Amino acid sequence: MTKGLKIALGATAALVVAIGVEALWLHHRNTVDENAPVVRKDAYPKSTLTEDQAVFLRKERPDSLKDERELIGKTIWVSAGGQMDYYKDAGKHVDYAKPEGVLLGAEPLIIRDVFEEKAPANSRAVFRIAPGQRQVLLAFTMPNSSDPKAMYAVPVGNFDDGVYNFFTDEIFFYDDPHVLYKHWGPEMWAHVDKHEAVLGMSENQAMMALGQVITPHGDNVGDRSVSFDNNGHPVTIDFQNNKAVKITPGS
């Protein structure tokens, strides 16, 4: 056998050995992998949303009077508590100078009509809803009030430059918040419906009870102090871990 042939055969043998070793290693690795416990990654990782954040709030997105009139005969509930003045409805007319009160959180309203009226430009009436060429108002009754047949009205939008602008999605719940936030429990809801602060309530519960006109002292929601206007009866609440730990009236 020539020297060159011997070298070639030797290289071939070494290559065969190397391939055999690699095949054994792959067989060993595959055997180990097959016997190893399978760690499966969850295709749907657990949500980090809180129960409140997971609540679905329905939106109607009205853009015409026809859309808004679809609310007639339905019950809606106040979301923007403490922000909206309402007025006595004197037959598709209100006296903007004489508000009857302020809509409170979770208050149910039964919608009776929709009408338009020109609002005074420089008044409290246009603080939340711009006057436009004319405002759009919802006429309603309040089933939980002392006079459930009395008719009232609240501005919810305007007509300006040929376009209707509505804010009912921001002002109201279209579904009962007592059901949407049923995880709050009946005891907490009893305090919210009385519009009173109580130790242990969260910031969201406090806003539902006392209104959304607030001055927060800090950016960390649930771990800060918040001053509530509370319809002219100020209250400051200290929150820790999103629980009220101190309530100070008149501050």
Side-chain angles (χ1 to χ4, degrees), residues 17-141:
V17 171
I19 292 172
V21 172
E22 176 66 14
L24 288 172
W25 163 245
L26 288 173
H27 174 72
H28 168 73
R29 187 183 65 184
N30 290 340
T31 302
V32 171
D33 289 348
E34 287 172 1
N35 295 331
V38 177
V39 179
R40 299 185 184 277
K41 291 185 178 180
D42 191 350
Y44 303 98
K46 290 184 178 179
S47 173
T48 57
L49 295 177
T50 65
E51 286 186 285
D52 282 6
Q53 291 169 337
V55 169
F56 175 73
L57 300 178
R58 183 157 54 99
K59 304 298 181 184
E60 296 294 342
R61 298 178 177 83
D63 61 9
S64 68
L65 279 181
K66 180 178 180 295
D67 290 342
E68 202 72 351
R69 290 185 187 280
E70 290 182 4
L71 292 174
I72 295 174
K74 297 180 180 179
T75 299
I76 58 178
W77 292 260
V78 178
S79 172
Q83 296 197 61
M84 305 302 300
D85 288 344
Y86 65 95
Y87 307 88
K88 190 75 174 177
D89 178 8
K92 297 183 182 293
H93 169 72
V94 299
D95 185 347
Y96 282 105
K98 298 178 179 179
E100 285 287 316
V102 177
L103 295 179
L104 303 179
E107 184 76 21
L109 312 178
I110 302 175
I111 306 307
R112 304 299 185 183
D113 201 359
V114 178
F115 64 93
E116 299 175 78
E117 183 151 355
K118 186 172 179 60
N122 299 311
S123 70
R124 177 183 169 96
V126 299
F127 182 65
R128 300 292 182 193
I129 305 293
Q133 292 171 258
R134 54 188 183 271
Q135 284 189 337
V136 179
L137 296 92
L138 292 182
F140 61 89
T141 53

Side-chain angles (χ1 to χ4, degrees), residues 36 84 91 94 97 109 178 184 189 195 201-202 208 220 228 245-246:
M84 305 302 300
V94 299
L109 312 178
H178 300 80
W184 289 3
W189 265 113
H195 305 290
M201 68 179 3
S202 67
M208 192 78 80
N220 193 4
F228 295 81
V245 296
K246 184 180 179 182

Side-chain angles (χ1 to χ4, degrees), residues 82 102 104 194-197 206 209-211 213-214 226-237 247-251:
V102 177
L104 303 179
K194 293 176 184 175
H195 305 290
E196 60 187 15
L210 305 181
V213 182
I214 64 172
V226 180
S227 296
F228 295 81
D229 176 75
N230 191 28
N231 200 20
H233 302 87
V235 175
T236 295
I237 303 179
I247 300 171
T248 307
S251 58

